[in-house]
């Protein structure tokens, strides 16, 4: 089991559209086998973060190949002011 913390910097004029896309992605992802938790929220104005928990790398790979994930990635292309920051964490307690 591992966690991901993904931080994205969103253009202010794209935030509402990003939220709509992200909420749909979150709902679908939470139903995937191997997804233990999946939350998206705003850390501060214009900074959005994902907090994800996955059973294993295989479950994450399946998630990243899902048609709705790929569509979401394509839909938010150009929404960012700088590259996303991705941090992988291994929890002390599993």
């Amino acid at each position: 089991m591992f966690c991901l913390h993904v931080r994205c910097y969103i253009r202010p004029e794209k935030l509402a559209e990003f939220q709509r896309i992200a909420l749909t992605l979150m709902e679908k992802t939470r139903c995937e086998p191997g997804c233990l938790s999946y939350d998206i929220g705003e850390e501060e104005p214009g900074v959005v973060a994902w907090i994800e928990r996955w059973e294993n790398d295989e479950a994450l790979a399946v998630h990243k190949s899902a048609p709705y994930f790929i569509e979401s990635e394509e839909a938010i292309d150009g929404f960012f002011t700088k590259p996303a920051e991705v941090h992988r964490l291994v929890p002390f307690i599993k």
Side-chain angles (χ1 to χ4, degrees), residues 46-60:
V47 180
V48 175
W50 278 260
I51 307 294
E52 309 174 22
R53 289 179 57 226
W54 295 95
E55 283 184 6
N56 52 47
D57 287 311
E58 293 77 18
L60 179 59

Side-chain angles (χ1 to χ4, degrees), residues 58-72:
E58 293 77 18
L60 179 59
V62 169
H63 166 65
K64 288 184 172 184
S65 67
Y68 64 86
F69 177 84
I70 295 167
E71 290 169 8
S72 295

Side-chain angles (χ1 to χ4, degrees), residues 33-49:
C35 177
L36 303 174
S37 66
Y38 194 91
D39 293 290
I40 305 170
E42 195 169 25
E43 288 186 344
E44 57 186 80
V47 180
V48 175

Side-chain angles (χ1 to χ4, degrees), residues 5 11 13 20 23 29 87-88:
H5 178 249
R11 297 183 188 288
E13 70 275 11
R20 182 186 55 77
L23 286 172
T29 301
H87 302 276
R88 184 179 173 122

